[in-house]
Every structure is written in structure tokens, then in C-alpha cells.
Amino acid sequence: MADGRQTTSHGHDSVRPAVVVGALGVVFGDIGTSPIYTLQTVFSPEDPHPVPVSDANVYGVVSLIFWSVMIIVTVTYILLAMRIDNDGEGGIMALIGLLRRQAGAAGRRTALLLAAVGIFGASLFFGDSMITPAISVLSAVEGIELVEPSLDTFVVPITAVIIVLLFLVQRRGTAAVGRVFGPIMIAWFTAIGGLGIAGISDHPQILEALSPAYAVGFLAGHFGIAFFALAAIVLAVTGAEALYADMGHFGRRAISRGWLFLVLPACTLSYFGQGALILADRANISSPFFLLAPGWARLPLVLLATAATVIASQAVITGAFSVAAQAGQLGYLPRLRIAHTSESSIGQIYVPWINWLLMVSVLTLVFAFRSSAALAYAFGMAVTGTITITTLLSLYMARSRWGAPMWLVGAAAAVLLSVDLLFVAANLTKLVHGAWLPLAIALTAFTLMTTWQRGRQVVTAEREQLEGPLREFIESIRNGTQPTQIVPGTAVFLNRGKLTAPLALRANVKHNSIRHEHVIIMSIETQPVPRVPEAERMVIDDLGYANDGIFHVIARYGYAETPDVPAALRALDPDTTEGRVDVDDASYFLSKIELRPGGRTKRLPPWRKRLFIATAHATADAADYFGLPRDRTVIMGSRIDV
């Protein structure tokens, strides 16, 4: 895919109405519920740097919100980033996969450096995935205080129950969730758009804020106020990264159409309606979103908002599943257990370990911060950091992959990165007020991923020394140096490559002095693409002898696929495998490695060794992960000092 654009061959990029509805139910919840708390936070008197309420400031803030959304979401994500897919998959990890593919070509050092920056961006997204459910659901449930102030003590318990239920239903998959949530989100966007129109009709002059002159004038004429306001205005673009990360679930065109034809108009109307309401009465800054509704409609709106914010949480949760799965396949996280929740869509997955980790983290944030206002200061840092890194990587890919003219890339970078960095700088002013939290989460995740990557390199080097050269081992069997008796049947030994002999095979020959009639040494290779065509799946090597029954097989999979070893072996051609392979009765051999801290001479500091070994406990069971039959799988152990 030289042009970097999706095609319908992946089965994701459909524009059937059902797909658009599903995308509305999963992808747009986060950004679609931002109107609940954005303007309220901008003018909040509790903010360390409050924006004074005046007509000029209201016009400037509303205009700045609109143009921030247009530049960051519509231009950066919809028009730029989402056209740079990795065979249909999106998100920062997809960009990292593309960068790694380019690392062997010119600009290798730059590509690897940007890949490291991308890992930090993915780490920030995990912070976003923890904060979004907490702030979104809290902000909606807080609406009951307007309906009945005495219920304020129930806000946190109700939020906690909703969040637990949300994570419990994740195993049903995004397809089922999308079918339920899609119609709710359509009702949500219809409602907030309608309420926005009602607010605008009372003060139609607010539509003048559509002019970028108000945004530029507010920034230039009141920079001291506008700069600090950006830390809250960024809340309007939260969820932009989820659009990109979830692209593999629904496709670029379905997401683009949902954004341009429903989500963007509805959010714009809501923001302008709230602005008109504040112009009419400055006391409305206390809760402009809910006060747009007449008294009789506020309780139904609170219920609808609660449902919508649950869906907002869904957007980042599914994005976190995608990022974690892709990180595992690319070697930045351990091999995690992944459940594919749709028979028709490859990209729809459920990752139990990530699901429960997120649930515990979100509940911790809810009970620690206890209000959406307190969490708002932390929220923007994760969002702006991820957006800035995505913009940087996307511009680099536009230049290196599309061959875009340097003047065009430079001009785009000057505009887009200037906007992004301005938001980052504004959010850094909230560092002591909570912005440290997503940075701490991101640094923790970044350390974990880079430690795992480095630890794998060390373990692989140690393992290669233990295993020894494969061809020399095969030669020792043939010339009698390693006397063996041939027994009927097929044995499959999973190994990391074809240069070294599997430890399980060495142990079988050395201790039992036998080998099977057919010996398949099989390696699983993860390619930096989401999916590998079946025609390119298998690579067979007879290891120098075409009639000894011993051969090597490489099975190639994309990072968005889960390997199925028996299914891959059934596709083998007997003409290329030295006879028919009896897959249904084959025995499978795994080499299980026990890790323990080594001496000071090793290549990891002690604290990273302990972290690496602790992280290894999250690794999914190899037999389950590779689809091996339990009753025909033999696990043989070995020990490596890290």
C-alpha cells in the first residue's frame, strides 16, 4: 500500500449504515460528551487561572473551541492521520509499525528515534484511557445535583457502579456494544444539537464567533487569559486519538462520515448554544450544558448524558485494547491473552488483562478525585501530549511515505505543531494541580514497555547461546554423533527462529535418544503490518536435506492477528514438506523459560531485571495463545539468568 490509503479489501472500510451506527456507538462517545464539561471548566471560578466572564471572553472562548476542534480533529486526524494507516489499522502503534518498516531504509536513525517518541505517545494514551471513564461518567452523574441537590452524596457511588458494569460487559465485544450504543449516541447528538439550536435562537449573535477573527483576537488581545484558558479548551478535543486508534474496528470512511455529518455539527451547536446562554445570564456558567434544557427535561438529559458518557469510556477502552495488542505483537509488551469478539471483523478484540487493570485504575481515580472538576486539570496533559506526538509522526510519514513536498510539510508543521505545542504549554501550568498524573502514568508505561523490549533482547541472546546452531545439531543427528531412534508420528517444536535448535528438541534427543518421523521446527514471525495474506503466510526450509523428515517452517502473522499453529500447518503442501504431515495427531513441544536475576555483569540494571521478570508473569499461556491442543502439548523447562 504505497499510498498509505485504505482500501475496502481489508473488510473494515465499509460505509454501510450499520457500520456508521456502530462507529457512533463506540468511537465518538469521548469527543461527543466533551460539551458537558468544557465551557463549564473554562469559566470555573475554582480554576487556578480563571477566565473572567465577559461578552468578549465568551465570544473568544467559543470561537477558540470551534477552531481548535476544526484544526486538531478535522484537519490533523480526519484529513491527515487517518489517511496514514498500516493496512487498515490506525493509532500510534500503527504509526510505530510503519516507522519500524522504514528503519532499514534511509533515515533509519530518525525513524527509530520517532518510534521511541511514539512509544511515549502510546503511554500517554494509556493515561487517557484511565482518566476518560472517570471524568466522563462523573461529569454526567453530577447533573443530578441540579435536579435534586440532596443527592450529591450519591454521585461517587453511582459513578463507581456504572464503571464496574461497563468493564464487565467488555467481553461481549465492540460489535455487540456498538449495536446497543449506536442508537443511544444518535439520540444524544440529536438532543444536544436541538438544545444548542434553542439556545442560539435566544441570542443568535453568538454565531459571529464562527469567524476565526474572534479566536485570533482573543489569543492576541488577551493572551494572558487565553493562554491559561487553553488548558480547559483542550477538553473539547478529548477523544480525537480514540478516533484514530479505533480505525481498525470500523474503517476510515465510516468514522469520517459520522464525524462530518453528525458529531461535528451537533457539538458545534451545543457549544454555541451554551455560549448564548452565558451571554444571557452569567450565572449560567455553573452548568451551562444542563441549563440549556428546560426544567422538565433535565432529569431525562442527565440519564441520557450518563449513557453517553459510558459510551465515551467505551471509545478509549477499545482503543486501549487495540494499542496493547499491537504493542504486544511488536515486542513492547508481553504476549497477552486476546479474545476476538467478532467472526466478521478481525479488528474487534477484548484483552482481559488490560480490561481489569483499567477498571481498578479508573475506580481509584474516581474515589481519589471525587469530582470532574478536579480531574479536568489532569485530563488535558494526556490528550495534548498524545495529539502532538501523533501530529509529528503523521507529518514525518506524509513526507517519507507519500513524498509530500517539503514546503507543504513545513507549512503544515508550522500551523499544526504550533497549535499543539501551545496547548501542551498551557497544560504544563496545571502540573501541580493534577497534570502530573497522566505524565506519571505515561512514564510508568513507557518504562515498562522499553524495559520489556530490552529484556527480550537480553533473554533472546542468552537463549541463542543455550540452543546452539540448528544446522550443526541436525548434522549431528544425521552423522550419528547424537544417536537417535526414529519413531512414527509428527512432532512440532516451536522456536524463535531457524538459526538455533529448540531447547525441547535438544532435550528430547539428548535424554530420550529419539526423534519423530516428521520433525517440524516452527517459528512465528510478527510482521509490522496488521495482517499477512494467506499466500505469503508460510516459508519452508528443508535445512539442507530434502529426505530426512526434518524441516523448518516460518509462519508470518500481522500484529493485529492471533497465531493459530494447527490451522497454519494444515495449509502445508505435502510436496514441500517431505511427505504428508499428520497435523491431527501431531505432538507439540514448547520450551518454557524460567527467568531469574543474574549477576552484575548482565546488561540490565537490577531494578529493570526485577521489573522485566515481574512483567513476564502477565504473559499469556503459550499453548492457548498459539491454539495448541492441550492433550498433545509437551512443555519442557529451562532456566535463564537475566
Side-chain angles (χ1 to χ4, degrees), residues 5 132 151 167 179 249 251 351 423 484 539 581 627 641:
R5 293 169 172 78
T132 293
L151 296 177
F167 282 99
R179 283 195 296 270
H249 293 246
V351 186
F423 276 111
T484 58
V539 179
V581 175
D641 292 340

Side-chain angles (χ1 to χ4, degrees), residues 518-560:
H518 278 99
V519 175
I520 304 174
I521 302 165
M522 189 168 187
S523 304
I524 307 297
E525 286 189 0
T526 301
Q527 304 294 310
V529 296
R531 285 163 290 279
V532 173
E534 288 298 328
E536 302 173 13
R537 177 86 64 201
M538 311 294 281
V539 179
I540 301 170
D541 185 349
D542 62 13
L543 300 174
Y545 301 96
N547 57 0
D548 63 353
I550 304 175
F551 58 94
H552 184 272
V553 174
I554 297 174
R556 295 169 171 165
Y557 290 89
Y559 62 75

Side-chain angles (χ1 to χ4, degrees), residues 275-318:
L277 192 70
I278 296 171
L279 289 174
D281 185 351
R282 296 179 184 182
N284 290 328
I285 62 168
S286 61
S287 186
F289 176 81
F290 288 107
L291 290 174
L292 266 179
W296 61 266
R298 284 175 190 162
L299 181 58
L301 183 61
V302 169
L303 297 176
L304 184 58
T306 302
T309 53
V310 167
I311 298 166
S313 307
Q314 182 67 50
V316 292
I317 292 170
T318 54

Side-chain angles (χ1 to χ4, degrees), residues 6-355:
Q6 281 179 278
T7 68
T8 54
S9 63
H10 301 296
H12 292 299
D13 206 12
S14 172
V15 287
R16 290 181 293 112
V19 178
V20 177
V21 171
L24 288 168
V26 174
V27 175
F28 295 106
D30 189 2
I31 199 164
T33 53
S34 296
I36 297 176
Y37 46 78
T38 299
L39 264 178
Q40 177 182 340
T41 304
V42 171
F43 292 108
S44 172
E46 299 176 10
D47 192 292
H49 307 96
V51 177
V53 184
S54 68
D55 288 2
N57 287 352
V58 171
Y59 277 94
V61 166
V62 171
S63 184
L64 204 51
I65 288 174
F66 174 73
W67 285 104
S68 297
V69 170
M70 291 299 293
I71 292 172
I72 292 175
V73 183
T74 306
V75 177
T76 299
Y77 279 92
I78 299 296
L79 298 181
L80 176 60
M82 290 182 67
R83 292 180 179 274
I84 307 173
D85 66 286
N86 196 340
D87 289 352
E89 293 290 329
I92 278 190
M93 293 309 302
L95 287 173
I96 292 169
L98 290 172
L99 287 166
R100 285 175 47 154
R101 286 162 71 176
Q102 291 189 192
R108 179 178 185 273
R109 181 174 298 179
T110 302
L112 290 176
L113 176 62
L114 288 173
V117 173
I119 290 298
F120 187 72
S123 303
L124 281 168
F125 183 72
F126 283 123
D128 188 8
S129 303
M130 296 175 187
I131 299 173
T132 293
I135 189 174
S136 299
V137 180
L138 267 173
S139 67
V141 177
E142 284 168 352
I144 65 174
E145 297 177 23
L146 281 178
V147 179
E148 181 52 64
S150 63
L151 296 177
D152 62 334
T153 56
F154 292 95
V155 169
V156 171
I158 292 172
T159 299
V161 170
I162 291 171
I163 286 170
V164 170
L165 292 175
L166 171 66
F167 282 99
L168 287 177
V169 302
Q170 291 304 311
R171 68 185 66 191
R172 299 183 65 87
T174 54
V177 170
R179 283 195 296 270
V180 174
F181 285 173
I184 295 175
M185 289 309 295
I186 292 174
W188 168 256
F189 289 120
T190 303
I192 69 172
L195 291 173
I197 291 172
I200 293 169
S201 65
D202 292 334
H203 202 103
Q205 294 90 336
I206 189 65
L207 292 176
E208 294 176 12
L210 286 169
S211 168
Y214 283 91
V216 174
F218 183 54
L219 271 174
H222 306 83
F223 187 77
I225 297 173
F227 176 72
F228 292 112
L230 290 174
I233 288 172
V234 73
L235 298 176
V237 298
T238 57
E241 180 61 27
L243 268 65
Y244 191 24
D246 285 334
M247 190 168 72
H249 293 246
F250 299 100
R252 176 178 65 84
R253 288 190 291 177
I255 293 174
S256 299
R257 280 157 177 72
W259 169 254
L260 294 173
F261 294 114
L262 180 60
V263 181
L264 176 60
C267 290
T268 300
L269 289 170
S270 179
Y271 286 124
F272 278 75
Q274 291 179 57
L277 192 70
I278 296 171
L279 289 174
D281 185 351
R282 296 179 184 182
N284 290 328
I285 62 168
S286 61
S287 186
F289 176 81
F290 288 107
L291 290 174
L292 266 179
W296 61 266
R298 284 175 190 162
L299 181 58
L301 183 61
V302 169
L303 297 176
L304 184 58
T306 302
T309 53
V310 167
I311 298 166
S313 307
Q314 182 67 50
V316 292
I317 292 170
T318 54
F321 290 163
S322 296
V323 170
Q326 294 172 21
Q329 291 287 50
L330 290 174
Y332 293 105
L333 284 177
R335 182 180 64 242
L336 301 173
R337 185 168 74 85
I338 297 171
H340 288 266
T341 57
S342 172
E343 295 182 2
S344 58
S345 298
I346 299 174
Q348 296 185 9
I349 58 173
Y350 165 66
V351 186
W353 197 87
I354 296 296
N355 188 66

Side-chain angles (χ1 to χ4, degrees), residues 384-404:
T384 55
T386 305
I387 289 171
T388 303
I389 292 172
T390 300
T391 302
L392 179 65
L393 300 186
S394 298
L395 290 170
Y396 176 82
M397 293 306 301
R399 172 64 178 164
S400 61
R401 194 180 188 196
W402 293 347

Side-chain angles (χ1 to χ4, degrees), residues 401-427:
R401 194 180 188 196
W402 293 347
M406 192 62 203
W407 67 266
L408 180 60
V409 173
V415 175
L416 300 181
L417 287 176
S418 294
V419 171
D420 294 346
L421 291 173
L422 198 58
F423 276 111
V424 170
N427 277 275

